[in-house]
Amino acid sequence: MDYKGDDKLEENDWGSIDKDTLPRRGRVISILNTDRPGTLKVNRPVYSQVTFEEIHGNRPTVKPEKKRICEQLRSTVASRFTCSKECTKNVFLEIFPFILIMKEYQFPRWLFGDLIAGMTVGIMHLPQGMAYALLASMPPIQGLYVSFFPVILYFFFGSSRHVSVGTFAVVCLMVGTIVDRETADWVSSTVSGQPNNSSVNGTGSPGSDHSKADEDPELIKIKIGIAMAVTLLTGLWQLCMGVCRLGFLTIYLSDPMISGFTTGAAIHVFTTQVKYIFGVRLLRQKEPFKLIKTYIDLFKNIPNTNVAALIIAVVCILVLVLVKECINNRFKEKMKMPIPIELILVVAGTVVSYLGKFEESFDVLTVGSVPTGIPAPSFPPVDRMGSLIADAFAIAVVSFTVSVSMAKILAKNHNYEINASQELIAYGVCNCVGSCFSSFVCSASLSRSLIQETVGGKTQVAGLVSSVVILIVLLALGPLFKTLPNSVLASIILVALKGMFLQFKELKRLWSVSKYDFAVWLVTFLGVILFGVELGLVIGLGFSLLTVVFRTQSPYTCLYGRVPHTDIYKDKNSYRVVQEIPGIKIFHFESPMYYANVEHFRNRLYLLTEANPTALKAARAKLKEKREMLEKKKENGLRNRKKTSKNGHLQMENHAEIEVHIVNAEAVSLVVTQEEEMPRFNIHHIIFDCSSVSFIDSVAAKALSQVIKEYAEVEVTVLLCHCKGQLREMLQRAGFFNNHEKGIVYLTVHDAVVAALEKQEDLLAELKQDAVTHGSLASSTSSATQSMAELENDDGEEVFENDASSVDV
């Protein structure tokens, strides 16, 4: 490539260029000569950033006039609360997205799919609602309330057309953990006042009285009140975040962190259901290490296993696995809807338990009485809300994150978008209103949402249909499930956890993709396992954010070299053919620069360029000191030579010593003469490629300025290139250009290289001759082919060699 200023205009394949349209200063332009396909020739001057802006114009940044805080506040409030008719209409449609959805409803083509999907999901709601209520330490009927009220409300306020709102295992577990913690003192005080009796058929345990206390009507009422209070606070948190448009906060919950969190929570869910599988009664344990304590207690009570409950659970698990894996999954493309095996087991288990009188004959725990009708609205108790605020925030974030993640996936599949902030408002309304009707926290269910989409659901009309199914159960069929064994519901939960347990497979992929993501998954999982769901979430989030600091604190650095016959500069560690230009080091730093990685930047720069100005100055100072000392010795030797003694005999005795001094002095003089030049580096320029530096803070700007000064003191010039506008603006604000000329900033690496070689006429001529000879149209095709061949290995793939000595991890 020939980089010479030329006002001559040429015609190319793009047509002629009007000379009058060029900038007046210099009238220069980049000419693309494409006479031969696949070739490129650019003829333009070398641009520093200042020159480029002067010639081609730079749009000045218009800074707004500074206003007082009161004026800014007044104008902000006025702009927020002054609204036109059109604005009011848009806000109304945003709050009630169902209006636009129903306007687009294709009747009756979509209706059949919504009816089938609604009935299918409604049937799934029955067993899952009752089963997941056990996770929340609630009576099964409360789970049906969660499957009814929030679903109706979400139809009006939700922006997703396919998610199924209701109970979700992880959220139910978080609610249940809070309920058990808040009622632990009440249970302990109740149990301490009663004798510890074993059950009739010997299946009791030292903790059996806890289970008896769980059946106390007063305790059930307290649990429901706590769950309602948590739900109200969760809804208020979500409403506040939605009104403040804080839906974007979920981006800080990374996929590895969510995966590790839900997998750890699945272990907790599994543990809570083991006691129903074995039919034993266990002591309540507290965090930390709750899981470990629970399994120790479980193993102690294995001899007290209720055989009937265990057989029921094993049979149910086998049936569920066989039907789901061998029938539903295998033939799902041929079936209009999956076999509702959960509902079939619930009905069958209820009938068999009623006919066999399992509760009386085998002491099998059952659901018990189920009230009919819709509960009267009541405000949640406020006496415990103060201690539940932080817990409610954690549940609000988790439930919203899971729900929005699922909604985004489904929306992408069907080519529409959801509003994250509106989703916050929707779930906030669902939880606030639902808390007044004895519901606990709702969330989108992954399994039900996928089923609703698969069987043909198009809109939330399917949710209304599922609510009708639940309403029929609430009004008429509820008491029929009185004899349903808890072990059947526990089996449904355990099989439903399969998808969460399969997330362990993520570890292998994360290990090969990113060690940081692997560590985030593992730390979050272990935090949830050892310290509980709430604290584990905090640990995972904190560690996940900390990895961002780790990644930018020690980013990748390298030296660039020039690809022969081009103006392309690439990493020396990745490409074999790149060549360094004598006397120039091109340093690349792949991260923003801020206070945490300034030392890393300086250390890597000194190491890769093999030019430490501090060490060189120290060596020069030491050499200077040594020279001064030798010069002093030389002067002393000459002084001794001129010294005469009155005693001639003494003078003859000391003659040999004086001769030695003379010889040494001459030798010192010779050494000093040979080492007149101070040590210096074999480079004269360092070019800092800033293409990956998205921003720089004041500390890093000061450090960069200091590095440039240090190199200037040892006759090495530092140039910058590829500086983004935001980076230049920050350097300007930090006072960087008060100490350094703006001319050290160049447009590209090649511009900086050509400028650095300005005084190196031989190298510059060689560089231009290389560009002209190999970049001409006559040989450009073959040279390009040769360069590309050199850039690739024998398999035709780009070479990326790992050099442990130069790659910073």
Side-chain angles (χ1 to χ4, degrees):
M1 288 198 178
D2 191 7
Y3 279 77
K4 293 188 284 188
D6 191 355
D7 292 345
K8 183 180 178 181
L9 296 176
E10 304 176 7
E11 282 195 11
N12 53 22
D13 292 347
W14 301 90
S16 60
I17 301 176
D18 186 5
K19 189 173 181 179
D20 295 333
T21 62
L22 294 177
R24 292 186 178 180
R25 186 177 301 178
R27 292 186 180 275
V28 293
I29 192 170
S30 297
I31 304 297
L32 298 179
N33 193 329
T34 55
D35 293 338
R36 177 172 296 189
T39 63
L40 175 67
K41 184 178 181 180
V42 181
N43 191 12
R44 68 168 177 82
V46 175
Y47 284 130
S48 69
Q49 190 66 45
V50 175
T51 307
F52 183 81
E53 292 175 358
E54 287 179 353
I55 295 177
H56 296 282
N58 180 36
R59 181 176 296 174
T61 303
V62 180
K63 295 183 178 180
E65 183 181 354
K66 291 185 178 180
K67 298 180 181 179
R68 294 181 179 180
I69 298 178
C70 296
E71 294 179 358
Q72 290 181 352
L73 184 61
R74 190 182 300 111
S75 61
T76 302
V77 172
S79 63
R80 294 293 183 183
F81 290 93
T82 302
C83 193
S84 63
K85 181 179 179 180
E86 186 67 22
C87 182
T88 304
K89 177 183 175 182
N90 293 335
V91 170
F92 184 81
L93 293 177
E94 183 178 354
I95 296 177
F96 297 99
F98 82 98
I99 297 176
L100 294 178
I101 294 175
M102 296 311 295
K103 278 186 176 181
E104 300 174 359
Y105 197 86
Q106 299 180 16
F107 182 86
R109 189 160 63 92
W110 287 2
L111 183 60
F112 179 75
D114 283 337
L115 288 175
I116 298 297
M119 294 178 63
T120 305
V121 173
I123 292 172
M124 292 181 66
H125 266 300
L126 293 176
Q128 288 189 4
M130 291 189 291
Y132 289 163
L134 298 180
L135 291 178
S137 297
M138 296 281 104
I141 191 65
Q142 312 302 131
L144 297 182
Y145 295 155
V146 180
S147 302
F148 177 69
F149 295 105
V151 175
I152 297 176
L153 293 168
Y154 188 83
F155 170 82
F156 296 100
F157 294 94
S159 61
S160 175
R161 304 179 185 184
H162 294 89
V163 296
S164 174
V165 179
T167 55
F168 181 60
V170 175
V171 175
C172 293
L173 174 66
M174 297 179 72
V175 174
T177 302
I178 298 170
V179 170
D180 289 340
R181 184 193 68 200
E182 295 295 321
T183 57
D185 295 337
W186 191 95
V187 173
S188 299
S189 62
T190 303
V191 173
S192 62
Q194 298 178 356
N196 187 11
N197 299 323
S198 298
S199 58
V200 177
N201 62 351
T203 60
S205 72
S208 60
D209 290 315
H210 285 275
S211 293
K212 291 181 180 180
D214 289 344
E215 301 172 3
D216 190 297
E218 184 178 353
L219 176 60
I220 293 176
K221 184 178 179 180
I222 294 175
K223 286 184 174 182
I224 294 174
I226 294 172
M228 291 169 62
V230 171
T231 305
L232 177 62
L233 290 174
T234 301
L236 292 176
W237 274 118
Q238 291 173 332
L239 277 176
C240 291
M241 289 190 291
V243 171
C244 296
R245 301 300 183 195
L246 299 180
F248 68 90
L249 291 178
T250 57
I251 62 177
Y252 294 105
L253 301 179
S254 63
D255 290 343
M257 197 215 78
I258 294 176
S259 178
F261 172 77
T262 52
T263 306
I267 302 293
H268 279 275
V269 172
F270 181 89
T271 304
T272 60
Q273 300 307 300
V274 169
K275 62 181 180 181
Y276 297 114
I277 298 296
F278 288 93
V280 296
R281 298 177 173 114
L282 305 177
L283 290 168
R284 278 192 178 88
Q285 307 295 342
K286 295 183 179 180
E287 299 291 357
F289 311 117
K290 177 181 177 180
L291 285 182
I292 299 175
K293 299 173 185 176
T294 300
Y295 279 108
I296 292 175
D297 191 21
L298 173 66
F299 292 138
K300 290 180 180 179
N301 285 278
I302 288 295
N304 300 323
T305 299
N306 189 316
V307 179
L310 182 60
I311 292 174
I312 293 172
V314 171
V315 171
C316 289
I317 291 174
L318 289 176
V319 172
L320 284 167
V321 171
L322 289 174
V323 174
K324 285 192 168 189
E325 299 298 326
C326 299
I327 299 178
N328 287 352
N329 287 347
R330 182 173 295 183
F331 303 104
K332 60 183 179 181
E333 295 181 356
K334 299 179 180 180
M335 302 169 63
K336 291 185 177 180
M337 61 178 291
I339 297 176
I341 186 61
E342 294 93 346
L343 181 62
I344 294 173
L345 282 179
V346 167
V347 174
T350 303
V351 173
V352 173
S353 176
Y354 173 76
L355 297 177
K357 297 182 179 180
F358 285 178
E359 185 176 13
E360 295 83 2
S361 302
F362 305 105
D363 195 28
V364 174
L365 292 176
T366 59
V367 169
S369 60
V370 179
T372 57
I374 295 177
S378 61
F379 195 79
V382 297
D383 53 339
R384 294 178 180 267
M385 286 188 179
S387 61
L388 302 176
I389 294 177
D391 299 311
F393 179 77
I395 297 177
V397 172
V398 172
S399 62
F400 171 69
T401 302
V402 173
S403 302
V404 162
S405 299
M406 191 68 211
K408 286 183 177 180
I409 293 173
L410 296 175
K412 184 178 180 180
N413 292 341
H414 294 273
N415 302 317
Y416 68 92
E417 294 182 357
I418 65 165
N419 186 335
S421 297
Q422 179 58 31
E423 288 293 291
L424 274 171
I425 294 176
Y427 286 105
V429 172
C430 291
N431 287 320
C432 288
V433 177
S435 66
C436 298
F437 290 91
S438 302
S439 295
F440 52 86
V441 181
C442 67
S443 177
S445 168
L446 307 183
S447 59
R448 291 196 307 270
S449 298
L450 291 175
I451 291 296
Q452 180 170 318
E453 179 204 26
T454 303
V455 298
K458 300 296 183 182
T459 64
Q460 285 300 327
V461 172
L464 294 181
V465 175
S466 69
S467 298
V468 173
V469 176
I470 299 298
L471 181 62
I472 295 173
V473 176
L474 290 174
L475 295 178
L477 304 180
L480 299 179
F481 296 103
K482 179 180 180 180
T483 58
L484 174 63
N486 285 344
S487 56
V488 174
L489 298 177
S491 302
I492 295 174
I493 293 175
L494 295 187
V495 175
L497 293 176
K498 174 197 168 186
M500 293 187 181
F501 288 138
L502 289 178
Q503 292 179 132
F504 278 108
K505 294 182 178 180
E506 283 285 294
L507 286 174
K508 182 179 179 180
R509 184 185 67 86
L510 292 176
W511 177 262
S512 60
V513 173
S514 171
K515 303 298 187 296
Y516 284 109
D517 289 342
F518 176 87
V520 168
W521 196 103
L522 196 59
V523 168
T524 306
F525 173 78
L526 293 177
V528 173
I529 292 295
L530 298 177
F531 302 104
V533 177
E534 292 85 359
L535 188 56
L537 176 64
V538 175
I539 292 173
L541 178 60
F543 184 78
S544 179
L545 295 177
L546 196 60
T547 58
V548 178
V549 179
F550 291 157
R551 298 181 200 212
T552 57
Q553 186 175 359
S554 301
Y556 177 72
T557 57
C558 64
L559 290 181
Y560 271 13
R562 177 173 173 264
V563 178
H565 324 317
T566 70
D567 64 342
I568 300 173
Y569 295 81
K570 289 294 181 180
D571 183 2
K572 288 176 55 182
N573 300 320
S574 300
Y575 299 93
R576 280 196 289 254
V577 299
V578 297
Q579 301 172 355
E580 284 193 4
I581 298 175
I584 298 176
K585 296 287 185 180
I586 304 172
F587 180 72
H588 180 74
F589 190 77
E590 289 193 355
S591 169
M593 291 182 63
Y594 66 109
Y595 65 92
N597 61 17
V598 165
E599 282 303 314
H600 178 77
F601 164 78
R602 184 184 284 110
N603 294 336
R604 295 297 296 174
L605 177 64
Y606 293 166
L607 179 64
L608 294 181
T609 60
E610 299 178 354
N612 187 336
T614 304
L616 181 62
K617 286 190 289 185
R620 287 182 174 183
K622 187 175 181 180
L623 179 60
K624 183 179 180 181
E625 182 181 353
K626 185 177 180 180
R627 287 181 177 180
E628 291 176 352
M629 184 180 64
L630 294 176
E631 188 68 28
K632 187 176 181 181
K633 287 184 178 181
K634 177 183 176 181
E635 292 176 359
N636 291 337
L638 295 175
R639 195 179 302 116
N640 292 335
R641 184 180 180 184
K642 294 179 180 181
K643 187 182 295 183
T644 58
S645 175
K646 294 180 179 180
N647 189 340
H649 179 69
L650 180 61
Q651 183 177 2
M652 293 302 295
E653 278 185 4
N654 294 334
H655 181 73
E657 183 178 355
I658 293 173
E659 288 297 328
V660 172
H661 281 291
I662 293 173
V663 172
N664 289 343
E666 291 175 353
V668 169
S669 177
L670 181 62
V671 172
V672 171
T673 302
Q674 290 177 349
E675 297 182 0
E676 284 183 353
E677 293 188 4
M678 286 289 188
R680 57 187 305 152
F681 296 131
N682 59 354
I683 61 173
H684 50 80
H685 277 82
I686 293 177
I687 298 173
F688 179 25
D689 176 27
C690 303
S691 58
S692 298
V693 182
S694 57
F695 72 88
I696 187 171
D697 68 357
S698 59
V699 177
K702 183 178 179 181
L704 179 61
S705 177
Q706 184 64 31
V707 166
I708 296 176
K709 286 182 179 179
E710 290 177 355
Y711 274 116
E713 293 172 358
V714 293
E715 299 85 35
V716 175
T717 304
V718 178
L719 304 178
L720 310 181
C721 63
H722 283 300
C723 293
K724 299 178 174 65
Q726 185 180 3
L727 178 62
R728 300 196 305 272
E729 183 179 353
M730 186 60 199
L731 291 175
Q732 179 70 40
R733 281 198 232 162
F736 178 85
F737 294 114
N738 295 338
N739 302 318
H740 307 284
E741 297 180 358
K742 291 185 178 181
I744 67 172
V745 181
Y746 283 83
L747 200 63
T748 67
V749 175
H750 197 65
D751 287 321
V753 169
V754 175
L757 295 177
E758 184 178 359
K759 296 181 180 179
Q760 308 290 324
E761 297 181 0
D762 295 340
L763 289 175
L764 185 59
E766 182 180 346
L767 180 66
K768 291 185 176 182
Q769 183 63 29
D770 174 80
V772 171
T773 303
H774 297 276
S776 63
L777 293 179
S779 59
S780 59
T781 304
S782 59
S783 299
T785 304
Q786 179 183 359
S787 297
M788 290 304 299
E790 292 173 343
L791 280 171
E792 297 179 354
N793 60 10
D794 296 336
D795 297 327
E797 298 176 350
E798 288 185 345
V799 178
F800 291 92
E801 297 178 342
N802 292 326
D803 186 358
S805 63
S806 60
V807 179
D808 185 42
V809 180

